Amino acid sequence: RRVLLLGIAAALAAVGEGRAAGAESGPRVRLETSLGKIEMVLHRQAAPRTVENFLAYAAAGFYDGTIFHRVVPGFVIQGGGLAPDMTTRPTTRPPLRNEAGNGLRNRRGTVAMARTGDPHSATSQFFINLKDNPALDFRSESTQGWGYCVFGEVVEGMDVVDAVAR
């Protein structure tokens, strides 16, 4: 059974700016999925280019109708780039310079950018950490050390994230 990401863009205006516990103020977005809603706060101060990129894709409706195509229980759920038939949606924005050195860690419930082996290749795909994943954290500006840029965190709907993982 595939979990559809039904929309993000429509929720942007409805949710607006907010504050997560222990985090700076930033945009709050609601992911509408076929299993329920996931609300996230995005950390604009820590990852400004990454947050703007994510919001631009959301505002364009890019994520509507995509799926969580990579589900690894006890690790991550990943979405933001594939249609239900598993075809890749062509990205419309250039790859990002990795902002993983922002001090945020890949902990349970955080949202980070997916990428290839090139540390500066993230475009539209993102993942939600199902557990603390220190191996994904920034260690140094080297191919092996860049890590994955955390740019947000789930503030409501971790039960939905866990349901996707199941």
Side-chain angles (χ1 to χ4, degrees):
R1 180 171 122 186
R2 297 233 164 84
V3 178
L4 285 175
L5 183 55
L6 303 173
I8 297 177
L12 288 174
V15 179
E17 296 280 328
R19 178 177 296 279
E24 78 274 5
S25 180
R28 288 176 73 111
V29 297
R30 186 178 307 121
L31 283 64
E32 308 264 349
T33 77
S34 55
L35 292 181
K37 296 174 184 168
I38 302 166
E39 194 165 311
M40 307 181 315
V41 65
L42 306 182
H43 302 310
R44 184 174 286 164
Q45 281 186 313
R49 290 185 303 266
T50 304
V51 168
E52 291 312 312
N53 179 72
F54 181 82
L55 292 174
Y57 274 113
F62 181 87
Y63 295 121
D64 298 355
T66 61
I67 60 171
F68 284 102
H69 65 276
R70 181 173 179 235
V71 175
V72 184
F75 184 53
V76 301
I77 62 170
Q78 180 176 327
L82 273 66
D85 65 1
M86 295 298 286
T87 57
T88 302
R89 289 211 174 150
T91 56
T92 57
R93 300 175 57 80
L96 293 166
R97 176 137 181 92
N98 194 328
E99 295 179 300
N102 61 19
L104 301 178
R105 303 285 180 233
N106 283 278
R107 295 194 171 124
R108 176 171 165 75
T110 59
V111 183
M113 290 303 292
R115 61 174 177 79
T116 68
D118 176 351
H120 308 293
S121 61
T123 53
S124 65
Q125 293 188 34
F126 62 94
F127 61 89
I128 301 173
N129 286 290
L130 298 172
K131 69 174 189 91
D132 291 356
N133 286 311
L136 303 180
D137 291 342
F138 175 84
R139 292 181 305 284
S140 67
E141 290 187 7
S142 67
T143 303
Q144 296 78 25
W146 266 105
Y148 294 79
C149 177
V150 173
F151 68 98
E153 65 186 287
V154 174
V155 292
E156 290 181 38
M158 272 307 288
D159 58 328
V160 176
V161 172
D162 291 334
V164 172
R166 287 190 296 274

